[in-house]
Amino acid sequence: MDTGREYLKVLAIESSCDETAAAVLQNADHPGSRILSNVIKSQIEVHVPFGGVVPEFAARNHMDAIDTVINDAIKQSGHDLREMDAIAATAGPGLIGGLLVGMVTAKTIALMSQKPFMAINHLEGHLLTARLCYDVEFPYLLLLASGGHFLFAEVMGIGDYRILGQTLDDAAGESFDKVAKMLGLAYPGGPSIEEAAKHGDDSRFQYTIPMQRRAGCDVSFSGIKTATKIHISKLDSMTDQDKSDVAASFQSIVTKFITIQLRKAYQMANTKLRNMVIAGGVAANTRLREEVSHFCDQHGLNFYAPPMSLCSDNAAMIGWAAIERIGHNLPFSDFDARTRPRWPITEIY
Ligand code: KG4
Ligand code: ZN
């Protein structure tokens, strides 16, 4: 229950990839009252012809969109800039051009309005999103799968993150994007493959599950990608049914493989875990959610998946990470805080 007290309010900006986003968050007790606004301007149509994000175009489009997006977020929140207690922005990891646009804008707003500024790690935003949406207690087992990252981690508290396994090559989302490109399906590949797979036979093309002779729970998607390329090359001409069958078989092996490695990650955790969280764009995949949910049922874990709209990039998760940090008395950032295109979650604090 919300008590009616005056909540802390944060204006947050996200521009690390191809979404220009701003949001206003407050530290309400009830999850449903925390997001006051959440504006996302997607650049997808700019990048579709190239089958992937073009960093230079992304930066220019962030420049063009960011003022309007921030203005809309403040207006839709029903508050004004003076009522904000802090300004937060994604400092990394991500594409340098976009990060600079968001960081410079956020710092300027903070300086002009004399508010504290907080540089946020994009991955920390994803990994805390479940706590924005539900009352999830630490510790939890995390599967973070996005376009640029893949990792299993044991999340003990704010800033207390232990990586159990990660990808040795592509991120899961990246492999969806690349296979979609091979099939001539639209970017971003994840949703396109999921859609095509609905009409496909997931047992038509065979794969070997990678990494099974190796200790640990790291993943590699390059073998699955190459096997898919070989399957496609053996087809005389590709019909829509062939595409659906490849998409379904690929999606099936990827989600099965992730779940097998997840089981190992669970065994590697130090703490007695009761909760499991998935995050990142790939966490929007229904098949993956089903498999992880089944794994959680088998192991007596509570399963938390953010709503689809908060799995992909957004500024609400950045604002929430700032609120969590403030709530744990962590310091604000200096105005000379750098953008960090590479910034592992183990180096946040
Ligand atoms: O987290 P995100 O929005 O951006 C990054 O931080 O990377 O993740 C984007 C990635 C893309 O590679 C996209 O293809 C993938 O998430 N994705 C999906 C689905 N929706 C988005 N992958 C599989 N199934 C989906 N439904
Ligand atoms: Zn992301």
Side-chain angles (χ1 to χ4, degrees):
M1 270 295 285
D2 293 337
T3 56
R5 70 180 156 86
E6 196 55 36
Y7 294 121
L8 187 88
K9 292 183 183 57
V10 172
L11 168 67
I13 297 169
E14 154 62 40
S15 56
S16 65
C17 191
D18 59 349
E19 324 275 2
T20 317
V24 175
L25 275 278
Q26 65 179 1
N27 64 340
D29 305 323
H30 189 269
S33 311
R34 290 173 182 158
I35 301 178
L36 296 176
S37 65
N38 187 23
V39 177
I40 303 175
K41 168 103 177 52
S42 173
Q43 304 177 357
I44 280 178
E45 73 282 3
V46 175
H47 304 289
V48 160
F50 305 95
V53 178
V54 184
E56 175 64 26
F57 290 164
R60 286 188 208 185
N61 278 271
H62 284 307
M63 279 290 278
D64 290 344
I66 200 150
D67 295 348
T68 312
V69 166
I70 293 171
N71 238 330
D72 289 351
I74 295 174
K75 253 192 236 156
Q76 289 176 24
S77 76
H79 295 273
D80 66 41
L81 185 57
R82 280 168 303 193
E83 294 172 84
M84 300 299 132
D85 297 287
I87 314 296
T90 304
L95 301 171
I96 185 76
L99 292 170
L100 281 169
V101 172
M103 284 282 276
V104 170
T105 309
K107 286 180 185 178
T108 307
I109 294 172
L111 275 168
M112 300 295 287
S113 57
Q114 298 185 313
K115 313 245 178 231
F117 164 70
M118 200 173 260
I120 298 292
N121 180 296
H122 179 87
L123 301 176
E124 187 172 46
H126 277 304
L127 74 85
L128 293 174
T129 303
R131 282 172 52 87
L132 159 63
C133 309
Y134 317 103
D135 292 319
V136 188
E137 297 288 334
F138 296 121
Y140 53 80
L141 180 61
L142 169 79
L143 160 57
L144 170 55
S146 70
H149 298 88
F150 185 98
L151 52 90
F152 297 112
E154 190 174 3
V155 177
M156 271 85 69
I158 302 298
D160 195 358
Y161 312 130
R162 179 172 162 248
I163 294 180
L164 301 167
Q166 50 199 326
T167 179
L168 304 181
D169 40 57
D170 290 351
E174 210 173 346
S175 69
F176 271 91
D177 295 337
K178 287 178 180 167
V179 168
K181 206 169 181 178
M182 291 178 204
L183 293 174
L185 300 175
Y187 174 83
S192 304
I193 293 217
E194 182 161 15
E195 185 54 36
K198 281 182 189 159
H199 319 287
D201 170 4
D202 67 4
S203 60
R204 175 165 163 203
F205 297 99
Q206 299 304 307
Y207 291 86
T208 310
I209 296 174
M211 313 284 283
Q212 294 314 295
R213 293 218 183 122
R214 198 184 148 109
C217 61
D218 286 335
V219 298
S220 160
F221 296 105
S222 63
I224 296 178
K225 202 178 58 192
T226 307
T228 307
K229 203 172 187 176
I230 293 168
H231 290 319
I232 294 172
S233 71
K234 288 183 182 157
L235 297 167
D236 293 335
S237 61
M238 211 166 17
T239 63
D240 283 348
Q241 190 57 52
D242 291 332
K243 286 186 187 183
S244 288
D245 293 346
V246 172
S249 304
F250 167 78
Q251 178 178 259
S252 169
I253 183 71
V254 168
T255 53
K256 191 189 268 178
F257 173 46
I258 291 175
T259 315
I260 289 173
Q261 298 306 84
L262 173 63
R263 195 175 306 269
K264 298 180 189 166
Y266 173 66
Q267 285 157 0
M268 287 166 67
N270 282 338
T271 40
K272 173 90 190 91
L273 296 166
R274 287 180 37 239
N275 299 321
M276 163 85 217
V277 162
I278 57 170
V282 183
N285 187 281
T286 306
R287 177 79 183 256
L288 181 63
R289 284 174 179 247
E290 283 167 4
E291 298 224 6
V292 175
S293 171
H294 181 60
F295 162 82
C296 289
D297 287 346
Q298 288 176 327
H299 292 81
L301 291 165
N302 302 310
F303 176 47
Y304 298 96
M308 308 281 193
S309 59
L310 291 176
C311 284
S312 48
D313 290 349
N314 64 86
M317 67 181 192
I318 303 303
W320 179 251
I323 284 178
E324 291 257 41
R325 290 184 52 150
I326 296 166
H328 285 75
N329 296 317
L330 288 161
F332 287 100
S333 308
D334 293 332
F335 279 102
D336 60 2
R338 286 180 303 127
T339 48
R340 298 190 56 173
R342 296 175 64 83
W343 190 7
I345 56 166
T346 44
E347 289 175 21
I348 298 180
Y349 298 98

